[in-house]
């Protein structure tokens, strides 16, 4: 291998920034972060951008290490055999190792009229597009938020707190991740804000028009502005590049986050599917996965055996406007417990966590290798799940053995 190792990180989100910063631990590693935007996007604040309380943007100078080269561009293809990526601006860039951290975004809703009349908010550009639409809408205009995961709940609460008439269409259960106690707490807060929650059977959206949302049970809800938060998708870069993926399009890896096709490609964040058992899409998973991906690359450069991931979750935090929130505690394998912190303390904790994530990235930028939460003990349940699916694991191992370069 050349004296200097070139590593390209695709994607400048939570996982990509953590990985890029951590890779600068070695002076003989050159790191290039390729991202289509010149600033870091706090995706967990996009609902605040929509509501006007935050711009959801942090300058890369504040979170990216000085040793990382930022290339504002988009990777359009990966040539694993040549170890080269193609850039949208023209030309190519070579690598010795590649970190695939392209993240996630809005999925194709597959519902008539949704793409035309509903506004997704899973990216900075989508949220920025919705903001002026809401600003121009009359204060009395009915706002319908489709999807009752964290993004939907947060958006509904944020807008209702401003006096908007908001209906939250769950398509089933309100806050599916939440424990029943936490769900009741969220429901009370939403009711206090005046949000109409439409949940239960028959509440899946079947069509969206310019001024209404239609449900499976035949109801038609008037809607001046429809916001779509249901479902996530991942970019199809891995699929287009001929790499092995799961059914959704996440890069298929082993437990060290190494691609089953090529040991010079490592994945992290929402776009990774380790052992075809991907973690919940969240910054809570992305940041540790970014650290683990960097550690895998550094281990390979050093000629050492990479350690497997150690997936540990604490729970889920959801803001309920600027004055309330909830932190739903969970078992380490990401199953909600009956314990939660709500109300104003929940809001304070949520804000502390949001700021803490940026501090983790900035801390790793200043002192590469200082982050260590991906090493917290746990992961027993994941090992149990892997052991319970021997056929799947064997298939992944066989595929990797057949395709990895020798």
């Amino acid at each position: 291998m050349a004296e200097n190792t070139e590593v390209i990180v695709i994607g400048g989100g939570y996982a990509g920034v953590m990985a890029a910063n951590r890779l600068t631990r070695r002076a003989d590693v050159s790191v290039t972060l390729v991202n289509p935007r010149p600033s870091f996007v706090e995706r967990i604040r996009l609902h605040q951008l929509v509501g006007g309380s935050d711009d959801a943007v942090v300058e890369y100078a504040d979170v990216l290490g000085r040793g990382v080269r930022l290339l504002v561009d988009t990777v359009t293809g990966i040539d694993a055999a040549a170890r080269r990526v193609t850039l949208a601006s023209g030309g190519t860039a070579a690598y010795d190792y590649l970190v695939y951290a392209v993240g996630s975004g809005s999925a194709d809703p597959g519902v008539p009229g949704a793409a035309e009349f509903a506004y997704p908010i899973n990216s900075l550009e989508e949220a920025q597009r919705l903001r002026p639409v809401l600003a121009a809408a009359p204060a009395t205009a009915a706002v319908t938020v489709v999807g009752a995961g964290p993004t939907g709940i947060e958006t509904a609460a944020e807008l209702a707190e401003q006096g908007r008439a908001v209906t939250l269409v769950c398509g089933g259960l309100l806050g599916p991740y939440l424990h029943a106690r936490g769900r009741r707490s969220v429901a009370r807060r939403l009711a206090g804000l005046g949000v109409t929650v439409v949940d239960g059977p028959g509440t899946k959206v079947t069509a969206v028009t310019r001024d209404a949302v239609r449900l499976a049970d035949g109801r038609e809800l008037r809607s001046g502005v429809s916001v779509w938060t249901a479902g996530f998708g991942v970019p199809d870069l891995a699929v287009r590049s001929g790499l092995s993926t799961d059914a959704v399009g996440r890069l298929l890896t082993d437990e060290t986050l190494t691609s089953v096709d090529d040991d010079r490609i490592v994945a992290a964040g929402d776009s990774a599917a380790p052992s075809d058992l991907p973690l919940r899409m969240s910054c809570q998973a992305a940041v540790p996965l970014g650290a683990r991906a960097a550690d895998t690359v550094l281990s390979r450069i050093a000629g050492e055996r990479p350690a497997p991931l150690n997936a540990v979750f604490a729970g889920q935090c959801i803001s309920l406007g600027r004055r309330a929130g909830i932190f739903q505690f969970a078992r380490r394998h990401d199953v909600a417990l009956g314990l939660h912190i709500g109300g104003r303390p929940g809001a304070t904790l949520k804000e502390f966590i949001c700021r803490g994530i940026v501090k983790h990235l900035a801390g790793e930028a200043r002192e590469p290798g200082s982050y260590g939460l991906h090493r917290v003990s746990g992961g027993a349940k994941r090992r149990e799940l892997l052991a319970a699916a021997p056929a799947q694991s064997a298939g992944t191992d066989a595929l990797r053995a057949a395709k990895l370069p020798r």
Side-chain angles (χ1 to χ4, degrees), residues 113-196:
E116 183 178 1
F117 299 114
Y119 293 85
I121 59 169
N122 285 327
S123 72
L124 178 66
E125 292 76 15
E126 289 170 344
Q128 289 174 333
R129 173 172 167 251
L130 173 58
R131 176 65 187 149
V133 172
L134 283 167
T140 56
V143 177
T144 303
V145 179
V146 180
T151 304
I153 293 172
E154 290 184 325
T155 303
E158 199 81 20
L159 298 179
E161 194 174 63
Q162 297 177 0
R164 293 284 184 178
V166 180
T167 297
L168 178 62
V169 179
C170 301
L173 197 62
L174 171 68
Y177 178 92
L178 299 171
H179 187 276
R181 294 175 185 173
R183 186 172 299 113
R184 287 193 292 270
S185 178
V186 169
R188 284 194 297 270
R189 171 61 178 171
L190 291 175
L193 290 170
V195 176
T196 300

Side-chain angles (χ1 to χ4, degrees), residues 77-364:
I78 302 169
D79 186 340
R83 294 181 194 161
R84 190 171 292 274
V85 299
T86 304
L87 302 172
S89 61
T92 61
Y95 65 84
D96 294 305
Y97 287 92
L98 181 73
V99 177
Y100 186 86
V102 297
S104 62
S106 299
D108 181 359
V111 173
E116 183 178 1
F117 299 114
Y119 293 85
I121 59 169
N122 285 327
S123 72
L124 178 66
E125 292 76 15
E126 289 170 344
Q128 289 174 333
R129 173 172 167 251
L130 173 58
R131 176 65 187 149
V133 172
L134 283 167
T140 56
V143 177
T144 303
V145 179
V146 180
T151 304
I153 293 172
E154 290 184 325
T155 303
E158 199 81 20
L159 298 179
E161 194 174 63
Q162 297 177 0
R164 293 284 184 178
V166 180
T167 297
L168 178 62
V169 179
C170 301
L173 197 62
L174 171 68
Y177 178 92
L178 299 171
H179 187 276
R181 294 175 185 173
R183 186 172 299 113
R184 287 193 292 270
S185 178
V186 169
R188 284 194 297 270
R189 171 61 178 171
L190 291 175
L193 290 170
V195 176
T196 300
V197 176
V198 180
D199 60 352
T203 62
K204 287 188 176 182
V205 174
T206 57
V208 181
T209 66
R210 189 178 302 277
D211 55 9
V213 170
R214 295 172 187 159
L215 307 184
D217 61 10
R219 280 181 286 176
E220 184 167 294
L221 308 178
R222 184 173 60 87
S223 182
V225 180
S226 299
V227 183
W228 195 275
T229 71
F232 287 90
V234 297
D236 65 351
L237 176 60
V239 174
R240 287 187 286 106
S241 301
L243 298 170
S244 297
T245 67
D246 68 359
V248 176
R250 290 171 286 217
L251 187 69
L252 193 60
T253 76
D254 63 14
E255 288 294 287
T256 71
L257 301 180
T258 304
S259 166
V260 298
D261 300 311
D262 191 326
D263 63 0
R264 296 303 183 98
I265 300 177
V266 178
D270 291 352
S271 54
S275 302
D276 209 8
L277 288 174
L279 307 181
R280 171 163 58 91
M281 289 183 175
S282 62
C283 66
Q284 185 176 179
V287 175
L289 286 175
R292 176 60 63 196
D295 286 355
T296 290
V297 172
L298 293 173
S299 292
R300 293 194 182 281
I301 293 172
E304 300 169 352
R305 184 183 181 89
L309 68 89
N310 187 31
V312 177
F313 284 85
Q316 186 178 82
C317 53
I318 302 173
S319 64
L320 299 169
R322 296 298 87 213
R323 297 186 293 275
I326 181 172
F327 184 89
Q328 170 67 72
F329 288 93
R331 300 184 188 279
R332 291 188 176 189
H333 58 278
D334 208 23
V335 174
L337 294 166
L339 179 64
H340 70 271
I341 298 173
R344 187 171 291 276
T348 301
L349 181 55
K350 168 68 188 290
E351 181 61 24
F352 174 80
I353 290 171
C354 289
R355 293 183 181 182
I357 292 168
V358 173
K359 288 182 178 179
H360 279 311
L361 298 178
E364 188 70 16

